[in-house]
Amino acid sequence: MIFSVIAFALMSSFVKYLSDFNVYQIVFFRSIGTLFFTVPLIVKNKISFLGNKKKWLFARGLLGVISLTCFFQSLNYLPVGTAVSLRYVAPIFAAIFALIFLKEKIKPIQWCLFFIAFVGVLIIKGFGADVNYIGLVFVLLSAVFLGLIFVVIRKIGPSENPLVIINYFMVMAFVFGGLMSIPYWRNPTSIELLLFLSTGVLGYVGQLYMTKAFQAQETNLIAPIKYLEVVITILIGAFWFGEIYNSWTIFGILLIVSGLIYNIYVKQNDTK
C-alpha cells in the first residue's frame, strides 16, 4: 500500500507539473501509459476485451473519465495536497449512493463521521490558503463521480476481471481525451512526454499494488495507509511547487482523514 500511495502521489504531482497543457491532452496520455500494460496482459491471459456486463462496464468507464478529467482540472486551481484531500470525501457520496441504489444501511455513527469530514471541507474552503472556488467545484464533482464508481463496481461484482474494468476506463479515456484535445494540442518536449506517459504507468502501479495490499491483509489494516497519499502530496506540493498550507488547511485535512479512517473501522467491525 505504501508503494501504491507513493505512485498515486507522484502521478498527481506530475499532472500538476503538466498543468500548462490542456486537461484533455493529459487524460489522453494518462490512458496510453496504462493501456501499455492492460492490453498485453488481457491478450496474454486470453481474456475477453468486452467482458460480460457491458452496460455496467461502459458506465464505469464513462464515470471514470468524468471523475479523472474533473480531478485533473482541479489541479489547475488548487494546491496538489488540498485537491487530493478533498477528493477523499468520495466515500461519503459512495455511502449515500449505496443507500439509494443498493439499499445499504448507514449507521448513525457513520453519519457523524461523514459530518466531521464535511466540516473539514468547509474549513478548508473558508479558512484554507489559496482555495479557489472553481477548483473546489471540480474536485467535489470528481469525488461525486468517484462515489458513483464505487457503486457501479459493486454492481459489476466479481464476475469481471479487474483488467477488463480498468481497460474499459482507459480505452474510453484514450478516445475521449484524444478527440477533445485536438483543438488544444501542443507537442510536448521529450521530458514532458516522459512525464505524460509516467502518469499512466504510475496510475497502473498504484492500482496494482493497492489490489495486492487488499489481497494480502484485512481492509481495516490496509485502507488507512491509503491516506498517506495526502501527507506525501502535501510534502511534494510544499517542496516542489512552493505551495502554502496554513494551519486551517491542515486542520481541515485532519478532520477529513480522521473521519473517513474511523469510518473504515466502523464498517469493518460491523461486518465481523
Side-chain angles (χ1 to χ4, degrees):
M1 185 58 91
I2 291 172
F3 280 127
S4 172
V5 298
I6 290 172
F8 280 127
L10 286 173
M11 184 194 76
S12 299
S13 301
F14 287 178
V15 171
K16 177 75 174 178
Y17 181 79
L18 295 164
S19 58
D20 286 343
F21 286 85
N22 186 273
V23 67
Y24 301 123
Q25 195 170 347
I26 299 175
V27 169
F28 173 72
F29 279 111
R30 159 73 173 87
S31 65
I32 292 175
T34 300
L35 288 171
F36 180 79
F37 292 95
T38 58
V39 171
L41 285 170
I42 289 174
V43 172
K44 177 185 175 184
N45 294 296
K46 298 180 180 178
I47 302 167
S48 169
F49 276 94
L50 296 178
N52 302 308
K53 298 183 178 179
K54 299 176 183 63
K55 178 179 72 174
W56 290 111
L57 287 166
F58 180 85
R60 188 267 178 262
L62 179 63
L63 293 169
V65 170
I66 296 171
S67 178
L68 185 70
T69 304
C70 287
F71 177 62
F72 285 176
Q73 191 72 270
S74 74
L75 292 172
N76 291 324
Y77 303 95
L78 297 173
V80 63
T82 304
V84 169
S85 304
L86 291 172
R87 198 181 188 220
Y88 269 115
V89 301
I92 299 176
F93 299 112
I96 294 170
F97 292 137
L99 174 68
I100 297 170
F101 298 114
L102 303 178
K103 308 304 179 186
E104 293 182 1
K105 293 183 178 180
I106 303 176
K107 299 171 72 173
I109 189 171
Q110 287 181 269
W111 285 115
C112 293
L113 295 170
F114 289 156
F115 178 74
I116 289 170
F118 188 68
V119 167
V121 176
L122 297 179
I123 288 173
I124 291 173
K125 176 60 190 114
F127 304 102
D130 193 27
V131 178
N132 182 282
Y133 180 75
I134 297 174
L136 182 67
V137 170
F138 271 122
V139 79
L140 290 180
L141 279 174
S142 176
V144 168
F145 284 103
L146 188 57
L148 280 169
I149 287 169
F150 294 153
V151 175
V152 170
I153 289 175
R154 287 290 302 276
K155 292 291 289 184
I156 293 173
S159 62
E160 300 290 353
N161 189 293
L163 284 171
V164 175
I165 298 173
I166 296 171
N167 205 60
Y168 258 84
F169 173 26
M170 289 295 103
V171 168
M172 293 178 69
F174 175 80
V175 175
F176 171 78
L179 292 175
M180 294 297 291
S181 66
I182 292 173
Y184 312 99
W185 188 266
R186 204 178 99 203
N187 289 330
T189 65
S190 298
I191 295 298
E192 288 168 340
L193 180 60
L194 179 62
L195 291 175
F196 267 129
L197 297 176
S198 293
T199 62
V201 175
L202 289 167
Y204 175 77
V205 170
Q207 289 283 352
L208 175 67
Y209 279 99
M210 183 173 67
T211 302
K212 286 180 176 291
F214 282 115
Q215 288 174 334
Q217 281 290 345
E218 293 181 15
T219 301
N220 62 337
L221 295 176
I222 293 299
I225 302 174
K226 175 73 174 154
Y227 290 90
L228 275 177
E229 185 182 346
V230 175
V231 178
I232 295 170
T233 48
I234 287 175
L235 291 174
I236 292 174
F239 289 103
W240 187 1
F241 301 107
E243 295 172 345
I244 298 171
Y245 300 88
N246 64 16
S247 56
W248 282 110
T249 301
I250 299 299
F251 180 58
I253 290 170
L254 285 173
L255 286 180
I256 293 171
V257 171
S258 58
L260 296 177
I261 285 178
Y262 191 57
N263 176 64
I264 293 169
Y265 284 105
V266 171
K267 288 188 70 175
Q268 287 302 307
N269 290 330
D270 192 45
T271 58
K272 290 179 180 179

mmCIF file of all heavy atoms in Angstrom, residues 1-2 4-13 71 80-81 83-85 87-88 210 223-236 257:
data_model
loop_
_atom_site.group_PDB
_atom_site.id
_atom_site.type_symbol
_atom_site.label_atom_id
_atom_site.label_comp_id
_atom_site.label_asym_id
_atom_site.label_seq_id
_atom_site.Cartn_x
_atom_site.Cartn_y
_atom_site.Cartn_z
ATOM 1 N N MET A 1 0.823 -1.205 0.000
ATOM 2 C CA MET A 1 0.000 0.000 0.000
ATOM 3 C C MET A 1 0.861 1.260 0.000
ATOM 4 O O MET A 1 0.503 2.277 -0.602
ATOM 5 C CB MET A 1 -0.959 -0.001 1.201
ATOM 6 C CG MET A 1 -1.931 1.178 1.197
ATOM 7 S SD MET A 1 -2.961 1.258 -0.291
ATOM 8 C CE MET A 1 -4.363 0.296 0.242
ATOM 9 N N ILE A 2 2.016 1.182 0.646
ATOM 10 C CA ILE A 2 2.922 2.336 0.641
ATOM 11 C C ILE A 2 3.442 2.596 -0.769
ATOM 12 O O ILE A 2 3.499 3.747 -1.223
ATOM 13 C CB ILE A 2 4.086 2.120 1.635
ATOM 14 C CG1 ILE A 2 3.552 2.153 3.076
ATOM 15 C CG2 ILE A 2 5.172 3.188 1.451
ATOM 16 C CD1 ILE A 2 4.564 1.771 4.121
ATOM 17 N N SER A 4 1.843 1.883 -3.407
ATOM 18 C CA SER A 4 0.670 2.380 -4.119
ATOM 19 C C SER A 4 0.477 3.882 -3.894
ATOM 20 O O SER A 4 0.281 4.639 -4.849
ATOM 21 C CB SER A 4 -0.579 1.617 -3.664
ATOM 22 O OG SER A 4 -1.746 2.193 -4.206
ATOM 23 N N VAL A 5 0.532 4.310 -2.638
ATOM 24 C CA VAL A 5 0.266 5.727 -2.357
ATOM 25 C C VAL A 5 1.378 6.626 -2.901
ATOM 26 O O VAL A 5 1.113 7.756 -3.339
ATOM 27 C CB VAL A 5 0.058 5.983 -0.836
ATOM 28 C CG1 VAL A 5 -1.142 5.224 -0.321
ATOM 29 C CG2 VAL A 5 1.296 5.651 -0.026
ATOM 30 N N ILE A 6 2.612 6.123 -2.902
ATOM 31 C CA ILE A 6 3.715 6.897 -3.492
ATOM 32 C C ILE A 6 3.470 7.071 -4.999
ATOM 33 O O ILE A 6 3.647 8.164 -5.548
ATOM 34 C CB ILE A 6 5.073 6.211 -3.241
ATOM 35 C CG1 ILE A 6 5.442 6.291 -1.752
ATOM 36 C CG2 ILE A 6 6.173 6.848 -4.092
ATOM 37 C CD1 ILE A 6 6.671 5.482 -1.373
ATOM 38 N N ALA A 7 3.038 5.991 -5.652
ATOM 39 C CA ALA A 7 2.772 6.051 -7.096
ATOM 40 C C ALA A 7 1.658 7.046 -7.399
ATOM 41 O O ALA A 7 1.783 7.880 -8.314
ATOM 42 C CB ALA A 7 2.403 4.662 -7.615
ATOM 43 N N PHE A 8 0.559 6.982 -6.640
ATOM 44 C CA PHE A 8 -0.564 7.899 -6.880
ATOM 45 C C PHE A 8 -0.173 9.348 -6.566
ATOM 46 O O PHE A 8 -0.588 10.274 -7.272
ATOM 47 C CB PHE A 8 -1.775 7.494 -6.044
ATOM 48 C CG PHE A 8 -2.565 6.353 -6.636
ATOM 49 C CD1 PHE A 8 -2.855 5.220 -5.885
ATOM 50 C CD2 PHE A 8 -3.033 6.405 -7.940
ATOM 51 C CE1 PHE A 8 -3.575 4.170 -6.418
ATOM 52 C CE2 PHE A 8 -3.758 5.360 -8.493
ATOM 53 C CZ PHE A 8 -4.029 4.244 -7.726
ATOM 54 N N ALA A 9 0.610 9.552 -5.514
ATOM 55 C CA ALA A 9 1.046 10.907 -5.153
ATOM 56 C C ALA A 9 1.933 11.495 -6.249
ATOM 57 O O ALA A 9 1.790 12.675 -6.613
ATOM 58 C CB ALA A 9 1.786 10.882 -3.820
ATOM 59 N N LEU A 10 2.842 10.678 -6.782
ATOM 60 C CA LEU A 10 3.705 11.142 -7.861
ATOM 61 C C LEU A 10 2.896 11.425 -9.123
ATOM 62 O O LEU A 10 3.152 12.399 -9.841
ATOM 63 C CB LEU A 10 4.791 10.105 -8.155
ATOM 64 C CG LEU A 10 5.917 10.001 -7.126
ATOM 65 C CD1 LEU A 10 6.833 8.824 -7.464
ATOM 66 C CD2 LEU A 10 6.736 11.293 -7.078
ATOM 67 N N MET A 11 1.894 10.582 -9.396
ATOM 68 C CA MET A 11 1.049 10.800 -10.569
ATOM 69 C C MET A 11 0.351 12.155 -10.483
ATOM 70 O O MET A 11 0.360 12.942 -11.435
ATOM 71 C CB MET A 11 0.004 9.684 -10.692
ATOM 72 C CG MET A 11 -0.851 9.805 -11.946
ATOM 73 S SD MET A 11 -2.326 8.754 -11.928
ATOM 74 C CE MET A 11 -3.379 9.693 -10.804
ATOM 75 N N SER A 12 -0.243 12.444 -9.332
ATOM 76 C CA SER A 12 -0.933 13.732 -9.150
ATOM 77 C C SER A 12 0.044 14.896 -9.284
ATOM 78 O O SER A 12 -0.288 15.943 -9.861
ATOM 79 C CB SER A 12 -1.603 13.779 -7.769
ATOM 80 O OG SER A 12 -2.576 12.763 -7.640
ATOM 81 N N SER A 13 1.253 14.712 -8.774
ATOM 82 C CA SER A 13 2.261 15.778 -8.831
ATOM 83 C C SER A 13 2.733 16.022 -10.265
ATOM 84 O O SER A 13 2.927 17.166 -10.674
ATOM 85 C CB SER A 13 3.453 15.413 -7.946
ATOM 86 O OG SER A 13 3.045 15.224 -6.602
ATOM 87 N N PHE A 71 -10.844 15.897 -11.761
ATOM 88 C CA PHE A 71 -9.736 15.948 -10.797
ATOM 89 C C PHE A 71 -8.518 16.629 -11.404
ATOM 90 O O PHE A 71 -7.905 17.500 -10.781
ATOM 91 C CB PHE A 71 -9.374 14.539 -10.329
ATOM 92 C CG PHE A 71 -8.196 14.501 -9.397
ATOM 93 C CD1 PHE A 71 -8.239 15.141 -8.166
ATOM 94 C CD2 PHE A 71 -7.023 13.843 -9.760
ATOM 95 C CE1 PHE A 71 -7.138 15.122 -7.304
ATOM 96 C CE2 PHE A 71 -5.928 13.810 -8.909
ATOM 97 C CZ PHE A 71 -5.985 14.464 -7.687
ATOM 98 N N VAL A 80 -1.824 20.752 -4.837
ATOM 99 C CA VAL A 80 -2.000 19.326 -5.087
ATOM 100 C C VAL A 80 -2.448 18.576 -3.828
ATOM 101 O O VAL A 80 -3.302 17.682 -3.889
ATOM 102 C CB VAL A 80 -0.706 18.725 -5.687
ATOM 103 C CG1 VAL A 80 0.465 18.822 -4.734
ATOM 104 C CG2 VAL A 80 -0.924 17.285 -6.134
ATOM 105 N N GLY A 81 -1.898 18.933 -2.667
ATOM 106 C CA GLY A 81 -2.291 18.260 -1.426
ATOM 107 C C GLY A 81 -3.736 18.529 -1.052
ATOM 108 O O GLY A 81 -4.450 17.642 -0.573
ATOM 109 N N ALA A 83 -6.201 19.310 -3.204
ATOM 110 C CA ALA A 83 -7.060 18.615 -4.167
ATOM 111 C C ALA A 83 -7.192 17.134 -3.822
ATOM 112 O O ALA A 83 -8.296 16.573 -3.829
ATOM 113 C CB ALA A 83 -6.495 18.785 -5.584
ATOM 114 N N VAL A 84 -6.065 16.482 -3.518
ATOM 115 C CA VAL A 84 -6.095 15.061 -3.156
ATOM 116 C C VAL A 84 -6.926 14.843 -1.896
ATOM 117 O O VAL A 84 -7.723 13.905 -1.812
ATOM 118 C CB VAL A 84 -4.654 14.529 -2.968
ATOM 119 C CG1 VAL A 84 -4.667 13.131 -2.340
ATOM 120 C CG2 VAL A 84 -3.924 14.476 -4.309
ATOM 121 N N SER A 85 -6.758 15.722 -0.915
ATOM 122 C CA SER A 85 -7.508 15.602 0.345
ATOM 123 C C SER A 85 -9.007 15.726 0.109
ATOM 124 O O SER A 85 -9.804 14.924 0.619
ATOM 125 C CB SER A 85 -7.057 16.684 1.332
ATOM 126 O OG SER A 85 -5.678 16.629 1.556
ATOM 127 N N ARG A 87 -10.667 15.227 -2.610
ATOM 128 C CA ARG A 87 -11.212 14.117 -3.396
ATOM 129 C C ARG A 87 -11.513 12.902 -2.512
ATOM 130 O O ARG A 87 -12.326 12.050 -2.875
ATOM 131 C CB ARG A 87 -10.231 13.723 -4.503
ATOM 132 C CG ARG A 87 -10.878 12.903 -5.619
ATOM 133 C CD ARG A 87 -9.868 12.530 -6.670
ATOM 134 N NE ARG A 87 -10.520 11.913 -7.827
ATOM 135 C CZ ARG A 87 -10.031 10.874 -8.490
ATOM 136 N NH1 ARG A 87 -8.880 10.339 -8.113
ATOM 137 N NH2 ARG A 87 -10.664 10.368 -9.522
ATOM 138 N N TYR A 88 -10.886 12.857 -1.352
ATOM 139 C CA TYR A 88 -11.101 11.726 -0.448
ATOM 140 C C TYR A 88 -12.458 11.754 0.252
ATOM 141 O O TYR A 88 -12.754 10.843 1.036
ATOM 142 C CB TYR A 88 -9.980 11.659 0.592
ATOM 143 C CG TYR A 88 -8.824 10.786 0.151
ATOM 144 C CD1 TYR A 88 -7.565 11.327 -0.076
ATOM 145 C CD2 TYR A 88 -8.990 9.433 -0.058
ATOM 146 C CE1 TYR A 88 -6.502 10.542 -0.486
ATOM 147 C CE2 TYR A 88 -7.944 8.635 -0.471
ATOM 148 C CZ TYR A 88 -6.698 9.192 -0.684
ATOM 149 O OH TYR A 88 -5.666 8.406 -1.107
ATOM 150 N N MET A 210 -2.178 -1.512 -4.799
ATOM 151 C CA MET A 210 -3.324 -1.367 -3.913
ATOM 152 C C MET A 210 -4.130 -2.665 -3.886
ATOM 153 O O MET A 210 -4.552 -3.129 -2.817
ATOM 154 C CB MET A 210 -4.213 -0.210 -4.367
ATOM 155 C CG MET A 210 -5.408 0.062 -3.448
ATOM 156 S SD MET A 210 -6.324 1.557 -3.891
ATOM 157 C CE MET A 210 -6.995 1.059 -5.471
ATOM 158 N N ALA A 223 -6.487 -0.125 4.536
ATOM 159 C CA ALA A 223 -7.141 1.072 3.994
ATOM 160 C C ALA A 223 -6.651 2.389 4.606
ATOM 161 O O ALA A 223 -6.451 3.361 3.872
ATOM 162 C CB ALA A 223 -8.657 0.946 4.142
ATOM 163 N N PRO A 224 -6.456 2.471 5.935
ATOM 164 C CA PRO A 224 -5.973 3.748 6.481
ATOM 165 C C PRO A 224 -4.626 4.197 5.916
ATOM 166 O O PRO A 224 -4.364 5.408 5.846
ATOM 167 C CB PRO A 224 -5.863 3.462 7.990
ATOM 168 C CG PRO A 224 -6.838 2.368 8.234
ATOM 169 C CD PRO A 224 -6.778 1.512 6.999
ATOM 170 N N ILE A 225 -3.780 3.241 5.498
ATOM 171 C CA ILE A 225 -2.473 3.603 4.942
ATOM 172 C C ILE A 225 -2.652 4.394 3.650
ATOM 173 O O ILE A 225 -1.799 5.195 3.278
ATOM 174 C CB ILE A 225 -1.619 2.347 4.696
ATOM 175 C CG1 ILE A 225 -1.423 1.566 6.004
ATOM 176 C CG2 ILE A 225 -0.256 2.692 4.110
ATOM 177 C CD1 ILE A 225 -0.717 0.240 5.829
ATOM 178 N N LYS A 226 -3.787 4.179 2.982
ATOM 179 C CA LYS A 226 -4.080 4.906 1.740
ATOM 180 C C LYS A 226 -4.003 6.413 1.955
ATOM 181 O O LYS A 226 -3.625 7.169 1.049
ATOM 182 C CB LYS A 226 -5.465 4.487 1.245
ATOM 183 C CG LYS A 226 -5.978 5.232 0.036
ATOM 184 C CD LYS A 226 -5.268 4.811 -1.216
ATOM 185 C CE LYS A 226 -5.905 5.462 -2.453
ATOM 186 N NZ LYS A 226 -4.956 5.599 -3.556
ATOM 187 N N TYR A 227 -4.336 6.855 3.152
ATOM 188 C CA TYR A 227 -4.374 8.300 3.428
ATOM 189 C C TYR A 227 -2.982 8.901 3.593
ATOM 190 O O TYR A 227 -2.847 10.116 3.749
ATOM 191 C CB TYR A 227 -5.253 8.575 4.650
ATOM 192 C CG TYR A 227 -6.718 8.331 4.346
ATOM 193 C CD1 TYR A 227 -7.289 7.084 4.542
ATOM 194 C CD2 TYR A 227 -7.511 9.335 3.814
ATOM 195 C CE1 TYR A 227 -8.617 6.843 4.230
ATOM 196 C CE2 TYR A 227 -8.834 9.114 3.501
ATOM 197 C CZ TYR A 227 -9.392 7.867 3.706
ATOM 198 O OH TYR A 227 -10.693 7.642 3.381
ATOM 199 N N LEU A 228 -1.951 8.066 3.549
ATOM 200 C CA LEU A 228 -0.589 8.592 3.479
ATOM 201 C C LEU A 228 -0.383 9.419 2.207
ATOM 202 O O LEU A 228 0.503 10.278 2.149
ATOM 203 C CB LEU A 228 0.431 7.452 3.502
ATOM 204 C CG LEU A 228 0.860 6.898 4.865
ATOM 205 C CD1 LEU A 228 1.806 5.722 4.644
ATOM 206 C CD2 LEU A 228 1.539 7.966 5.705
ATOM 207 N N GLU A 229 -1.205 9.138 1.202
ATOM 208 C CA GLU A 229 -1.117 9.899 -0.042
ATOM 209 C C GLU A 229 -1.299 11.389 0.207
ATOM 210 O O GLU A 229 -0.650 12.227 -0.427
ATOM 211 C CB GLU A 229 -2.166 9.395 -1.043
ATOM 212 C CG GLU A 229 -2.063 10.055 -2.407
ATOM 213 C CD GLU A 229 -3.147 9.586 -3.366
ATOM 214 O OE1 GLU A 229 -3.813 8.578 -3.075
ATOM 215 O OE2 GLU A 229 -3.328 10.246 -4.402
ATOM 216 N N VAL A 230 -2.185 11.719 1.150
ATOM 217 C CA VAL A 230 -2.419 13.123 1.491
ATOM 218 C C VAL A 230 -1.141 13.753 2.025
ATOM 219 O O VAL A 230 -0.735 14.839 1.606
ATOM 220 C CB VAL A 230 -3.555 13.250 2.523
ATOM 221 C CG1 VAL A 230 -3.709 14.706 2.971
ATOM 222 C CG2 VAL A 230 -4.866 12.727 1.957
ATOM 223 N N VAL A 231 -0.491 13.059 2.968
ATOM 224 C CA VAL A 231 0.739 13.580 3.578
ATOM 225 C C VAL A 231 1.833 13.748 2.525
ATOM 226 O O VAL A 231 2.510 14.779 2.462
ATOM 227 C CB VAL A 231 1.227 12.636 4.705
ATOM 228 C CG1 VAL A 231 2.537 13.148 5.305
ATOM 229 C CG2 VAL A 231 0.157 12.491 5.782
ATOM 230 N N ILE A 232 1.985 12.717 1.670
ATOM 231 C CA ILE A 232 3.041 12.752 0.658
ATOM 232 C C ILE A 232 2.814 13.886 -0.336
ATOM 233 O O ILE A 232 3.744 14.620 -0.695
ATOM 234 C CB ILE A 232 3.136 11.400 -0.077
ATOM 235 C CG1 ILE A 232 3.584 10.305 0.901
ATOM 236 C CG2 ILE A 232 4.111 11.475 -1.246
ATOM 237 C CD1 ILE A 232 3.476 8.895 0.340
ATOM 238 N N THR A 233 1.554 14.065 -0.785
ATOM 239 C CA THR A 233 1.282 15.118 -1.761
ATOM 240 C C THR A 233 1.435 16.512 -1.148
ATOM 241 O O THR A 233 1.851 17.448 -1.838
ATOM 242 C CB THR A 233 -0.132 14.979 -2.363
ATOM 243 O OG1 THR A 233 -1.096 14.795 -1.314
ATOM 244 C CG2 THR A 233 -0.214 13.821 -3.325
ATOM 245 N N ILE A 234 1.107 16.652 0.123
ATOM 246 C CA ILE A 234 1.325 17.942 0.791
ATOM 247 C C ILE A 234 2.819 18.269 0.826
ATOM 248 O O ILE A 234 3.236 19.406 0.545
ATOM 249 C CB ILE A 234 0.739 17.929 2.214
ATOM 250 C CG1 ILE A 234 -0.792 17.994 2.150
ATOM 251 C CG2 ILE A 234 1.274 19.097 3.054
ATOM 252 C CD1 ILE A 234 -1.469 17.858 3.493
ATOM 253 N N LEU A 235 3.638 17.270 1.161
ATOM 254 C CA LEU A 235 5.086 17.478 1.208
ATOM 255 C C LEU A 235 5.637 17.808 -0.185
ATOM 256 O O LEU A 235 6.462 18.716 -0.338
ATOM 257 C CB LEU A 235 5.777 16.227 1.766
ATOM 258 C CG LEU A 235 5.528 15.930 3.250
ATOM 259 C CD1 LEU A 235 6.136 14.583 3.636
ATOM 260 C CD2 LEU A 235 6.120 17.042 4.131
ATOM 261 N N ILE A 236 5.163 17.071 -1.196
ATOM 262 C CA ILE A 236 5.601 17.352 -2.566
ATOM 263 C C ILE A 236 5.165 18.754 -2.977
ATOM 264 O O ILE A 236 5.942 19.518 -3.577
ATOM 265 C CB ILE A 236 5.038 16.302 -3.546
ATOM 266 C CG1 ILE A 236 5.668 14.923 -3.296
ATOM 267 C CG2 ILE A 236 5.311 16.723 -5.002
ATOM 268 C CD1 ILE A 236 5.065 13.810 -4.122
ATOM 269 N N VAL A 257 -9.539 13.211 6.977
ATOM 270 C CA VAL A 257 -8.836 11.927 7.055
ATOM 271 C C VAL A 257 -9.263 11.127 8.279
ATOM 272 O O VAL A 257 -9.570 9.929 8.183
ATOM 273 C CB VAL A 257 -7.306 12.154 7.065
ATOM 274 C CG1 VAL A 257 -6.568 10.859 7.367
ATOM 275 C CG2 VAL A 257 -6.848 12.717 5.728
#
